[in-house]
Amino acid sequence: MEHEEMSLFPGLSRRDFLKSCGALAGLIGVSGPMAVPRVAQALEQMAKRPAIVWSCFQECLGCSVNLLQSRKPAPANLILQQISLNYHEAIMAPAGSQAKKSFHETVDSKDFYYVVEGGIATGIPDACTIGGMTSMEMCKDAYQKAKATIAIGTCACYGGIQAAAPNPSGSKGVTDFLKEDAGISNPTVINSPRCPGNADDTVAILLYAIVKGKLPELDSLGRPKFLFGQLVHDNCERRGHFDAGEFVEKFGDEGSDNGWCLYKVGCKGPVAYAPCPKTRWNANNGWPVSAGGPCIGCSEPDFWDKQSPFYEKAPGIKLPGDITPTQIGVGLGALTAVGIGAHFVGQAATGRLFKGAPVEGMEDKGSEEGGK
Ligand code: FSX
Ligand code: SF4
Ligand code: F3S
């Protein structure tokens, strides 16, 4: 029956459930006639609701809002119904000692996944203190006991806006904190950046592991390649205008009205590795460029410092008219990559994700210090 209700996903019709599975299959690169049944089966067979501890450190809460506002049949909505969110500082019902109890009981069980939203205050540890524990203490303790750790949003991945110069609180992403301040030499953290973090990205990462039985290959910045392996520019709906040399020269001009390329008014799509044209915002309805604003490169480390001024051209990008005769025939995609050489992300693998689990294309670089 088309609108049969599924007991596992209350309120979700079979059609919407399969639609979400189809979207997820596309995201994680599962194709063919069995793609949707495979994803559906994986979701339906998640027998035990995995426990999640979710820390909110130095951030704006946008990452949580994005997750909580995901709507049916958005992929994130499926996972929301399948997890046990044991601890989330912003939305959990218990407060005070009861909240602390939930944190310690779940963390000490060692049977949970750890999600971090926000940067770690390493310069002024007391600046981020929750229930008497600093972000440094909480993050180290939970990381060491978690089955896996995911950093959601650019703040948790690389420090984000708090880390903008002069970074008074010493904000760092989880990986840098663990390496530089917690004495853990080879931390295994999967980074899901963007500002805010996108819930569908996070769900796709979890589903990739469940459906494929292994964890995704990461780029040199800890981001899954299957999601963050392409430039925003590669999938942008305005790319045809870039290739045709049709640019917005200033906001509100004729080019703006025509939906032309935003490169000349600051778009950093040619240097930002992110899936924004595919996993969008507001129930998958839009993303910065579709709304008429340039990409500000929020998926990249230190973007507040390195990608600004936000409304000025990114340097070093070859425009179509700049192509030299020797480059003709190589292909525009390749030429663009040459033009952004300084930003081209190395594809070297950096470590393991989930403890004990191999990661595609990654070598085990040794054990961590610090009690793991
Ligand atoms: Fe950071 Fe999340 Fe930016 Fe905000 O909470 S990634 S400030 S828009 O959303 O942590
Ligand atoms: Fe799209 Fe920006 Fe690239 Fe233009 S420069 S095609 S607006 S990503
Ligand atoms: Fe960020 Fe650019 Fe995407 S600003 S959300 S990486 S379009």
Side-chain angles (χ1 to χ4, degrees), residues 232-233 236 238-239 242 260-263 267 269-270 287 289:
V232 168
H233 191 58
C236 178
R238 300 190 188 212
R239 177 58 185 266
F242 177 92
W260 287 357
C261 173
L262 297 161
Y263 169 69
C267 186
W287 63 292
V289 168

Side-chain angles (χ1 to χ4, degrees), residues 204 240 264 271 304 312 345:
K264 290 188 177 177
V271 298
W304 282 95
E312 290 182 14
V345 174

Side-chain angles (χ1 to χ4, degrees), residues 194-196 232 268-269 272-277 281 287-289 294-300 303:
R194 295 211 256 170
C195 186
V232 168
K268 306 301 188 298
Y273 284 83
C276 311
W281 310 96
W287 63 292
V289 168
C295 167
I296 59 172
C298 76
S299 58
E300 304 304 305
F303 78 99

Side-chain angles (χ1 to χ4, degrees), residues 56 58-65 117-119 152-156 159-162 193-197 298 303-304:
C56 297
Q58 293 184 294
E59 36 75 18
C60 76
L61 210 62
C63 306
S64 287
V65 170
E117 171 181 357
I152 293 185
T154 300
C155 299
I161 183 172
Q162 302 73 215
R194 295 211 256 170
C195 186
C298 76
F303 78 99
W304 282 95

